[in-house]
Each structure stands twice: as C-alpha cells, then as structure tokens.
C-alpha cells in the first residue's frame, strides 16, 4: 500500500503569507506526528495526534502554527503570517500507535522569501 | 526530561572499516530506542529498534542501560551505508519520540 504522502513537495511563498501543508498517513495508523527539520538541527517535534484524543501541541513554536486532523486521517499544518525562520522541511509521520515505529513522508520544503 | 545525544555530526570512514555511530540518552524509565536512516534523496525510514534485537543491513545496536547508550555498529562499512542516521527515544505515556541531531556517515571507496 501507499506510504505517508505529503503535499506540496515544495512551497515558496512571501513573508507574511499563510501556508497550508497536507499529510495523508498510512491507512489505519492512529498516531500522526509533525516535525520540522532544519539544516543541522535534527528533527524538532511540533504536534502529535493519537486517535480521537486531544492533540499534543507542546512542540508548536508559536501561535502562528496550528494543525488539524480530520476524521482521524488527513492532517493539515497551517502556518500563518510566515516568517523567514519558518523556512525548513516539514515532515509528517504516522505509526500504528504510540511507541511504534514511525513511517515518514517525503516532507514539504518550505521557503519563505 | 528525556534527551538524546549524538555527539558526532559527521563520521567519515573507508569502505571495509568498522563503524560505530554513538547515541546516548537521558531517561529514568525503560526506553524504547530506535535508529532511523535517511539516504540521499529518500525519506527517513526505520533502520532498527532495540526490542527487535535484529541485524538490518549488517547494522546492530545494543541497549546498554548502565551507560545509557544505544550505539549503532557495523563491522564492515559499505559505500551504500553513506546516509544521515538519527537515534530516537520513545517513552512515557505520550510516546512522543525525541530525536538526536543526527550523524552524517560518509563511507569512502
């Protein structure tokens, strides 16, 4: 079956614009994670969804960042009023449950001009 | 708080040489530890997890609770092993993994 799918693969936008990133997890995976990967900084956790529970938003860097997961499947990460420091690769991962190995998407490379 | 440290940003070896990518963790409970790998132009993928106790692509990793380490080892490196390697710790009720900053392994011919 298909793996985790993310879109768009690349996004270039002007500072101050809003962007929306999409993640389609593997069917049946209850856990979904968003990470930010910056050069030399490793993976920075952003937000975690598990089933129908309230998401863990503890990693979101500011209130400009938000995420939703509709119907326990597709998730969107929204960044409002983008800043240049938001430029990074945004990765989505899903797993069969908490503590299980994660399956990653190809990421969205976001560039803020 | 849990923490994962990969002390080497870059590790450069020659083909056929042994390789060890270091990972140290900080967590008081029983950890779930993973190694993930990202080859050039490919997505991040699981390499191995400590509870599986298996060897993948010739790599092994042993959990040493006394030293709080989970080093990744391979006796004879191959050029195709060149990649970015991340150590990750998952534990606690939320199971949100903590990733190390990664080690770039370069295997020269």
């Amino acid at each position: 079956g298909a793996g985790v799918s993310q879109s768009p693969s690349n996004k270039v936008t002007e500072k101050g614009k809003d962007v929306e990133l999409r993640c389609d997890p593997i069917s049946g995976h209850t856990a979904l994670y968003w990470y930010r990967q910056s050069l030399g900084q490793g993976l920075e956790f952003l937000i975690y969804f598990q089933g129908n529970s309230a998401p863990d938003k503890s990693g979101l860097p500011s209130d400009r960042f938000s995420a939703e997961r509709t119907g326990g499947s597709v998730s969107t990460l929204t960044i409002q009023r983008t800043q240049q420091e938001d430029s990074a690769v945004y990765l989505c991962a899903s797993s069969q449950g908490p503590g299980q190995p994660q399956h990653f998407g190809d990421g969205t490379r976001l560039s803020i001009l | 708080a849990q923490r994962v440290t990969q002390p080497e940003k870059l590790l450069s070896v020659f083909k056929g040489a042994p390789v060890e990518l270091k990972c140290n963790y900080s967590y008081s409970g029983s950890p779930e530890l993973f190694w993930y790998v990202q080859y050039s132009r490919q997505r991040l993928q699981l390499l191995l997890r400590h509870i599986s106790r298996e060897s993948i692509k010739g790599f092994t990793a042993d959990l040493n609770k006394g030293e709080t380490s989970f080093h990744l080892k391979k006796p004879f490196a191959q050029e195709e092993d060149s990649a970015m390697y991340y150590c990750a710790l998952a534990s606690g009720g939320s199971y949100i993994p903590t990733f190390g900053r990664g080690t770039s392994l370069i295997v020269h011919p």
Side-chain angles (χ1 to χ4, degrees):
Chain A
V4 176
S5 176
Q6 290 187 247
S7 61
S9 53
N10 283 284
K11 178 72 176 177
V12 181
T13 192
E14 293 179 346
K15 175 182 171 181
K17 300 286 188 183
D18 297 352
V19 295
E20 199 171 87
L21 313 180
R22 177 187 169 104
C23 173
D24 269 290
I26 292 174
S27 178
H29 279 193
T30 60
L32 187 147
Y33 309 77
W34 281 99
Y35 296 91
R36 181 164 67 178
Q37 186 178 35
S38 305
L39 195 61
Q41 297 298 313
L43 272 70
E44 176 188 4
F45 164 75
L46 297 176
I47 189 169
Y48 163 61
F49 295 90
Q50 171 53 43
N52 295 321
S53 303
D56 185 324
K57 305 178 181 180
S58 60
L60 295 179
S62 79
D63 59 7
R64 296 186 294 105
F65 288 71
S66 62
E68 290 185 340
R69 188 179 184 190
T70 54
S73 181
V74 172
S75 177
T76 54
L77 175 69
T78 301
I79 309 173
Q80 296 177 309
R81 306 181 302 281
T82 52
Q83 304 294 312
Q84 287 189 330
E85 60 263 28
D86 299 335
S87 296
V89 176
Y90 289 82
L91 292 174
C92 175
S94 69
S95 68
Q96 290 182 328
Q100 295 301 306
Q102 297 180 304
H103 299 257
F104 285 83
D106 286 326
T108 294
R109 182 174 297 278
L110 178 63
S111 300
I112 309 299
L113 303 179
Chain B
Q2 56 194 50
R3 190 168 64 233
V4 174
T5 303
Q6 292 181 251
E8 302 137 330
K9 290 181 68 173
L10 174 66
L11 188 59
S12 182
V13 301
F14 285 99
K15 175 183 173 181
V19 63
E20 180 180 72
L21 291 89
K22 292 184 169 53
C23 172
N24 288 92
Y25 66 91
S26 174
Y27 181 66
S28 56
S30 294
E32 282 267 1
L33 285 153
F34 306 83
W35 275 100
Y36 288 85
V37 60
Q38 189 168 27
Y39 301 102
S40 178
R41 299 188 186 87
Q42 294 187 29
R43 62 182 60 184
L44 195 58
Q45 60 187 285
L46 177 70
L47 181 62
L48 53 79
R49 58 190 301 193
H50 88 275
I51 63 169
S52 299
R53 292 185 161 274
E54 55 191 347
S55 173
I56 304 293
K57 299 184 178 183
F59 284 97
T60 59
D62 291 319
L63 175 61
N64 186 322
K65 291 189 176 181
E67 296 183 357
T68 60
S69 68
F70 188 56
H71 302 328
L72 184 67
K73 301 177 184 179
K74 185 168 182 176
F76 307 104
Q78 303 298 314
E79 290 178 66
E80 55 265 30
D81 297 328
S82 296
M84 194 75 178
Y85 291 80
Y86 292 94
C87 182
L89 166 67
S91 57
S94 66
Y95 287 102
I96 296 173
T98 299
F99 283 79
R101 292 198 168 191
T103 298
S104 177
L105 174 64
I106 299 175
V107 181
H108 301 282

